[in-house]
Amino acid sequence: MTSKAIKLISLLFCLLLLGRSLEAATIEFSEEELPSESVVPVLDSPLAVKNKLVKPKGRLELGVNAGYIIDEMFFNNVLWGTSVFYHSSDYKAWGIKYLGRMTGLSTYSEQFEGTSQGLDFNKAPAPGAMLLGSYRWTFLYGKLSFSKDLVLPTQFSLEFDLGVQQSGQQNLPLTAAAISHRLYMKRQFALAATYRLLLYQMLDPVSADIGTGTTPSESDFSKKIQISQGLELGLSYLF
């Protein structure tokens, strides 16, 4: 065997040994040795993850809520109300809502009293109660695990409303869209936080003379389209 052949065989043998030494070895760690944030929580039962804990299909839901109109300038912006929904499936529900408005003026409009402008918004027709038909679509369902023993179902839903709002002595059209986050406790009670965008017609409180003169009639006020935002907290119960 020639010296060149011997050198070639030696080189191939060295490369083979080097390749084996570079092979990555698989190292396994026990869960106790890993950081807690990288370990999947071990629940008492796998069914808590696989199965829905709340199944609303075919059930009635009665709720109460309170909130406020974020950008209301002239009148009291506090809302309160009640609702009833029927769940035609686990993802769809149809309902009726009644929302009332607290009476009185906002602190912004009260500052005009006794000034040179002399504006008295008590003379203007105030927004009142709302009666709405509602459709709810639940697009996300999950569970929040606070411990092995405490797993709370949670839902994210979109709501679409159509109805009327009282403005003075008139009932004017209103529509709204909302996103709601609902957290269930004991599988019947739920706490909900809702952001709502409203589009409605109302009587413009500054479209007539509400100064120191006589009180204008409601027909003196013109109508306008208003866009408002609302935040609500609610409590509901599934029957």
Side-chain angles (χ1 to χ4, degrees):
M1 184 180 293
T2 64
S3 60
K4 289 185 177 180
I6 294 174
K7 290 180 179 180
L8 180 59
I9 292 173
S10 300
L11 180 60
L12 291 175
F13 182 72
C14 291
L15 291 175
L16 179 62
L17 291 177
L18 181 62
R20 287 182 175 274
S21 64
L22 293 177
E23 287 182 355
T26 302
I27 302 176
E28 296 183 357
F29 295 92
S30 65
E31 290 187 357
E32 290 76 12
E33 297 176 353
L34 292 173
S36 59
E37 61 269 16
S38 65
V39 180
V40 177
V42 180
L43 301 178
D44 292 340
S45 170
L47 296 179
V49 176
K50 293 180 180 179
N51 295 337
K52 284 190 174 183
L53 299 179
V54 176
K55 297 182 179 180
K57 182 179 179 180
R59 301 169 69 182
L60 285 176
E61 177 185 323
L62 182 64
V64 292
N65 62 282
Y68 63 97
I69 303 295
I70 299 174
D71 43 13
E72 173 61 61
M73 294 181 60
F74 304 118
F75 302 99
N76 193 319
N77 66 346
V78 176
L79 286 171
W80 59 271
T82 184
S83 62
V84 57
F85 277 87
Y86 173 76
H87 293 265
S88 57
S89 72
D90 287 342
Y91 307 99
K92 299 177 182 179
W94 305 85
I96 297 176
K97 297 177 184 177
Y98 174 84
L99 296 174
R101 292 281 296 262
M102 298 293 288
T103 59
L105 303 177
S106 67
T107 54
Y108 174 77
S109 60
E110 288 175 348
Q111 69 183 352
F112 290 99
E113 296 180 2
T115 63
S116 58
Q117 293 92 343
L119 299 180
D120 183 2
F121 284 92
N122 287 306
K123 297 180 178 180
M130 310 173 195
L131 183 62
L132 306 168
S134 185
Y135 167 73
R136 181 191 296 163
W137 173 54
T138 300
F139 63 91
L140 183 61
Y141 174 88
K143 301 183 183 74
L144 293 178
S145 176
F146 296 98
S147 69
K148 287 183 178 181
D149 301 319
L150 182 59
V151 178
L152 298 181
T154 181
Q155 292 179 346
F156 285 89
S157 305
L158 292 177
E159 293 183 4
F160 302 95
D161 306 319
L162 182 63
V164 294
Q165 176 180 225
Q166 187 178 11
S167 185
Q169 300 300 315
Q170 303 182 45
N171 292 319
L172 300 178
L174 178 147
T175 185
I179 184 168
S180 180
H181 178 213
R182 189 168 277 97
L183 187 66
Y184 281 91
M185 300 167 292
K186 297 185 181 297
R187 307 188 186 185
Q188 285 91 22
F189 284 102
L191 287 173
T194 303
Y195 168 78
R196 195 175 308 280
L197 188 64
L198 302 102
L199 175 66
Y200 55 95
Q201 191 178 43
M202 64 174 293
L203 296 175
D204 188 354
V206 296
S207 61
D209 184 9
I210 54 173
T212 57
T214 59
T215 300
S217 64
E218 190 171 295
S219 59
D220 294 330
F221 294 89
S222 60
K223 297 176 182 177
K224 71 171 185 176
I225 300 297
Q226 178 75 23
I227 298 177
S228 295
Q229 304 172 77
L231 291 177
E232 300 170 24
L233 291 177
L235 178 66
S236 62
Y237 183 83
L238 269 176
F239 290 92

